[in-house]
């Protein structure tokens, strides 16, 4: 006995092997794919909390705040100024700078520039660590 498969749609070379296998199973068994569960606002809230927690930890480890409370203040100040991809902007750097170096206006300009660049590197590294930590748990 020979079995043949009837294709319900023409073959598409851009279709992945997984998609072709799913289509074949659907055709052979008459099944349907389960749609992904819709995202809810609670999913977004949980992801934001995980990201903020990871970001606080990363700020604590890389930006040398005075304490955990200051690391939390930095994250809360920076968070609204992150770009849509979760990367640091100049406004986010300024928000962090105002908390981490409140007396910077009294320093020489060269020292301010040097410390601001250092803070930018630390904040960028902390964001990268937080983004990676959240992506690993997604």
């Amino acid at each position: 006995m020979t079995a043949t498969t009837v294709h319900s749609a023409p073959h598409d070379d851009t279709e992945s092997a997984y998609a072709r296998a799913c289509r074949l199973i659907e055709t052979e068994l008459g099944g349907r794919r389960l749609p992904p569960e819709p995202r809810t606002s609670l999913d977004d809230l949980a992801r934001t909390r995980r990201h903020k927690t990871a970001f606080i930890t990363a700020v604590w480890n890389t930006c040398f705040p005075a304490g955990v409370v200051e690391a939390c203040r930095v994250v809360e100040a920076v968070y609204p100024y992150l770009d849509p991809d979760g990367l640091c902007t100049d406004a986010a750097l300024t928000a962090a700078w105002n908390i981490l170096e409140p007396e910077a206006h009294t320093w020489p300009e060269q020292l301010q520039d040097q410390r601001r660049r250092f803070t930018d590197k630390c904040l960028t590294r902390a964001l990268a660590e937080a983004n990676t930590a959240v992506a690993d748990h997604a």
Side-chain angles (χ1 to χ4, degrees), residues 33-67:
R33 292 183 200 184
L34 293 175
E37 289 187 40
R39 290 189 56 100
T40 66
S41 59
L42 291 177
D43 294 336
D44 293 336
L45 181 61
R47 184 185 186 287
T48 300
R49 283 187 176 166
R50 280 195 313 273
H51 187 263
K52 279 188 175 183
T53 301
F55 191 24
I56 289 167
T57 302
V59 166
W60 171 250
N61 291 330
T62 61
C63 296
F64 310 107

Side-chain angles (χ1 to χ4, degrees), residues 76-114:
E76 288 301 320
V78 166
Y79 221 80
Y81 300 109
L82 297 178
D83 74 1
D85 296 322
L87 301 175
C88 191
T89 63
D90 193 48
L93 175 60
T94 299
W97 176 252
N98 289 337
I99 294 171
L100 292 171
E101 305 291 355
E103 299 298 320
H105 65 281
T106 63
W107 301 349
E109 190 172 326
Q110 183 180 6
L111 181 59
Q112 287 183 36
D113 291 342
Q114 179 185 12

